[in-house]
Amino acid sequence: MTTAIATPRRTAAGSARSGRPLTPAGRYPQSRLLHIVAPALKVPDVAAASVFSAVRSRGPIARDTVAQLTGLSIATVNRQVTALLEAGVLRERADLAVSGAIGRPRVPVEANHEPYLTLGIHIGARTTIIVATDLFGRTLDVVETPTPSGSQSAALATLAASARRYLSRWHRRRPLWVGVAAGGVVDSTTGYLDHPRLGWADAPVGPVLAEALGLPVSVASHVDAMAGAELLLGGRRSSAESVGAQARTSLYVYARETVGYALSIDGRVHSPASGPGTIAGLPAQSELLGGTGQLESTVSDEAVLNAARRLRIVPAEGPASTLPAVLRAARAGNQQAVELLADRARVLGEAVALLRDLLNPDDLVVGGQAFTEYPEGIPVVEDAVARRSVLGARDIRVTAFGNRVQEAGAGIVSLGGLYSDPIGAMRRAQTRRSANGAGIAAV
């Protein structure tokens, strides 16, 4: 886990809660940046994290079984379990102890998930998702709200206020961390975001939320976050299975209103310091969909809806002029709608084939509503990949999270630090809570 101490980029936004101005140089003070933590989108590799992973996956579980799963010595497991119990993320289950056994090591332990939650925020081009997640990575609750518009500073203030109101509803669980997933280019060490589609430049998303919520904050590219969810939560991998995953590469391709990809290598999502690469400009041609000859403008939700209006599958405007209406028309037998969605699937498949041939990953995963909202198109995607790819046949796996992939991505950003270093994360969350005193108590 890396603590941000780098000098942040300039910004015009002020404080979301206090209204205090920035420093004269237009920069947030270093004290504000100490609570921004680069996201940990990787399979845990330290002893405490490995033990915590095994207990989450298999608990209630005895210490000797944890040792077998992780390959750690029983002495190391005992030390880590003791530390995790003291940190509050594990609890003992004396009621499940083996009859006749002597000594504490035979008392099973499990994740102490009930007192805690983490907060995930997915900032989409049109919709923002706020999700509460437990220590298992399970969604406790989720709400959707229109992504704030207006000036950058006003939008960030609105976002922070919405998150604060949402946390105020949770009286029996203590929030530990905030994870933000967003499109655009993310500076993960400072929590700043450039998001051209929203008109945000050097937006201090992380610092504003850290101040408003009194919690550590991690900010990640949304496609990296979704790839991290597949890596860490897809199938709820056990520790033993995760060890095998470290030796593989996985390509994750996303499509909805935007398109993107992420590559996981040796159990870690590859996140370049300069931000993720883009596939928006990959060549793509479709007479039905139109577009500019580039992938994103051809297969985006907006492109599909505009094409459906042009073909009169749905009205040009009004409440019936929506993408769900196009999907319903296809399922009702409208041949034009079927052909339109099939052509989108073909174009997506050809783009996936190009990326697959270029990167040749061990695993190939597709996600985003362009794939999951119309599963009837997956055979078309697979056929297009098979026809266009010059490499041998390779299975394509659809995301384990279906249409909930955005909330899963935001959730894993909020959990990554805890999964990577549970003891350090709990210490950091407690320190941040103590430093903010009454402010966090109000949350």
Side-chain angles (χ1 to χ4, degrees), residues 53-144:
S53 177
V55 175
R56 290 197 320 272
S57 302
R58 300 291 186 90
I61 188 173
R63 292 164 173 79
D64 55 355
T65 305
V66 173
Q68 294 170 11
L69 288 172
T70 60
L72 300 171
S73 70
I74 188 64
T76 298
V77 169
N78 281 334
R79 287 195 299 272
Q80 300 305 326
V81 167
T82 298
L84 291 166
L85 288 168
E86 292 175 352
V89 293
L90 295 187
R91 63 186 177 192
E92 291 185 317
R93 291 294 303 274
D95 57 313
L96 299 178
V98 177
S99 178
I102 299 175
R104 294 177 66 84
R106 297 302 299 168
V107 177
V109 292
E110 66 181 8
N112 186 27
H113 62 96
E114 292 172 353
Y116 308 113
L117 65 83
T118 61
L119 183 73
I121 303 173
H122 178 271
I123 304 172
R126 297 181 177 178
T127 302
T128 290
I129 296 172
I130 301 177
V131 56
T133 306
D134 71 6
L135 299 191
F136 292 109
R138 300 178 304 199
T139 296
L140 299 171
D141 181 66
V142 61
V143 296
E144 293 189 12

Side-chain angles (χ1 to χ4, degrees), residues 38-287:
L41 304 175
K42 63 177 183 176
V43 174
D45 53 7
V46 300
S50 296
V51 169
F52 186 43
S53 177
V55 175
R56 290 197 320 272
S57 302
R58 300 291 186 90
I61 188 173
R63 292 164 173 79
D64 55 355
T65 305
V66 173
Q68 294 170 11
L69 288 172
T70 60
L72 300 171
S73 70
I74 188 64
T76 298
V77 169
N78 281 334
R79 287 195 299 272
Q80 300 305 326
V81 167
T82 298
L84 291 166
L85 288 168
E86 292 175 352
V89 293
L90 295 187
R91 63 186 177 192
E92 291 185 317
R93 291 294 303 274
D95 57 313
L96 299 178
V98 177
S99 178
I102 299 175
R104 294 177 66 84
R106 297 302 299 168
V107 177
V109 292
E110 66 181 8
N112 186 27
H113 62 96
E114 292 172 353
Y116 308 113
L117 65 83
T118 61
L119 183 73
I121 303 173
H122 178 271
I123 304 172
R126 297 181 177 178
T127 302
T128 290
I129 296 172
I130 301 177
V131 56
T133 306
D134 71 6
L135 299 191
F136 292 109
R138 300 178 304 199
T139 296
L140 299 171
D141 181 66
V142 61
V143 296
E144 293 189 12
T145 182
T147 297
S149 57
S151 70
Q152 177 175 295
S153 58
L156 290 178
T158 299
L159 181 67
S162 296
R164 189 171 179 85
R165 283 194 303 271
Y166 181 78
L167 279 182
S168 70
R169 296 162 42 186
W170 296 89
H171 304 293
R172 297 184 180 180
R173 287 181 183 259
R174 171 187 159 195
L176 299 175
W177 209 278
V178 179
V180 181
V185 178
V186 171
D187 184 339
S188 61
T189 60
T190 63
Y192 278 65
L193 171 67
D194 289 332
H195 199 309
R197 293 198 64 167
L198 295 179
W200 295 1
D202 289 341
V205 175
V208 167
L209 287 171
E211 182 183 42
L213 303 180
L215 295 168
V217 178
S218 297
V219 186
S221 158
H222 69 152
V223 182
D224 285 356
M226 296 171 202
E230 293 292 334
L231 182 68
L232 296 171
L233 298 176
R236 311 290 171 177
R237 290 185 177 90
S238 68
S239 294
E241 292 168 330
S242 295
V243 170
Q246 293 183 43
R248 303 179 66 84
T249 57
S250 178
L251 171 64
Y252 184 89
V253 181
Y254 171 83
R256 189 185 190 182
E257 192 60 54
T258 60
V259 295
Y261 80 99
L263 191 64
S264 298
I265 305 171
D266 294 337
R268 180 191 294 265
V269 177
H270 176 59
S271 301
S274 58
T278 178
I279 59 174
L282 286 183
Q285 296 295 331
S286 170
E287 292 184 6

Side-chain angles (χ1 to χ4, degrees), residues 401-422:
F401 302 100
N403 287 339
R404 299 170 60 192
V405 66
Q406 287 86 3
E407 67 186 65
I412 199 60
V413 178
S414 72
L415 285 166
L418 188 71
Y419 284 3
S420 178
D421 179 13

